[in-house]
């Protein structure tokens, strides 16, 4: 009976070791999934921020044209709001999982767009600053 009790004890220890190994592996898989989800959110945030910055430059700092290009809602004073759902599709404020706020202002003839993207818990995912300086072109005298 002592040999079988020793074998049973060894078997129990081996099973406990495998359970602990499985618990660690599951924890690592869950952690890697969360990191992957966060990376997807940041990648979408960067792309949307770049799109808004390029639209701002293309609109030459014109607020009305930027609202039209982005199909955004304007909030006083000079703030554009865009809303995206969990799949990063344009939506309304009621169904939004991500909120893009673009504050428009100017200093010394330079137009600025401060772009901030937050999730529904108000965690900042990405922030970007775009600027546009209107250049005066001088025509050549014939």
């Amino acid at each position: 009976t002592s040999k079988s009790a020793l074998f049973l004890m060894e078997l129990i220890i081996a099973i406990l070791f495998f359970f602990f190994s499985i618990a660690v592996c599951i924890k690592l898989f869950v952690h890697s999934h969360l990191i992957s989800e966060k990376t997807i959110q940041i990648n979408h945030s960067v792309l949307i921020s770049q799109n808004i910055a390029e639209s701002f430059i293309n609109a030459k700092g014109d607020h009305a044209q930027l609202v039209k290009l982005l199909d955004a809602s304007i909030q006083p004073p000079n703030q554009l709001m865009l809303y995206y759902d969990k799949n990063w599709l344009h939506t309304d404020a009621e169904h939004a999982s991500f909120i893009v706020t673009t504050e428009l202002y100017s200093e010394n003839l330079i137009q600025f767009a401060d772009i901030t993207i937050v999730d529904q818990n108000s965690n900042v995912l990405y922030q970007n600053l775009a600027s546009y300086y209107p250049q005066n072109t001088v025509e050549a005298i014939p």
Side-chain angles (χ1 to χ4, degrees):
T1 59
S2 65
K3 287 185 179 180
S4 61
L6 185 61
F7 176 71
L8 183 61
M9 193 67 142
E10 184 180 338
L11 190 61
I12 291 173
I13 291 172
I15 290 172
L16 284 175
F17 175 75
F18 284 118
F19 277 136
F20 286 128
S21 299
I22 289 170
V24 169
C25 288
I26 289 173
K27 182 179 177 184
L28 290 174
F29 280 121
V30 168
H31 188 66
S32 69
H33 175 72
L34 294 175
I35 290 173
S36 174
E37 289 294 320
K38 184 73 171 176
T39 302
I40 289 170
Q41 290 177 0
I42 291 172
N43 283 340
H44 281 288
S45 298
V46 169
L47 291 173
I48 288 170
S49 176
Q50 287 176 342
N51 183 31
I52 293 170
E54 290 296 327
S55 297
F56 175 73
I57 292 169
N58 188 37
K60 297 182 173 143
D62 183 20
H63 299 178
Q65 189 175 358
L66 186 61
V67 168
K68 186 178 176 181
L69 278 173
L70 297 174
D71 190 27
S73 61
I74 191 158
Q75 305 270 331
N78 296 327
Q79 199 173 47
L80 301 179
M81 301 294 285
L82 290 165
Y83 303 99
Y84 292 91
D85 64 8
K86 63 181 179 177
N87 295 321
W88 291 94
L89 299 173
H90 194 70
T91 188
D92 56 356
E94 186 177 310
H95 300 101
S97 294
F98 303 99
I99 302 169
V100 181
T101 306
T102 305
E103 187 177 336
L104 304 169
Y105 61 95
S106 63
E107 290 179 12
N108 300 328
L109 298 176
I110 302 173
Q111 300 287 328
F112 292 98
D114 187 7
I115 305 161
T116 305
I117 302 175
V118 298
D119 62 8
Q120 59 193 7
N121 298 325
S122 298
N123 297 323
V124 176
L125 296 175
Y126 192 73
Q127 193 167 14
N128 192 8
L129 180 66
S131 62
Y132 175 76
Y133 180 73
Q135 298 178 2
N136 294 331
T137 56
V138 178
E139 294 183 22
I141 300 175

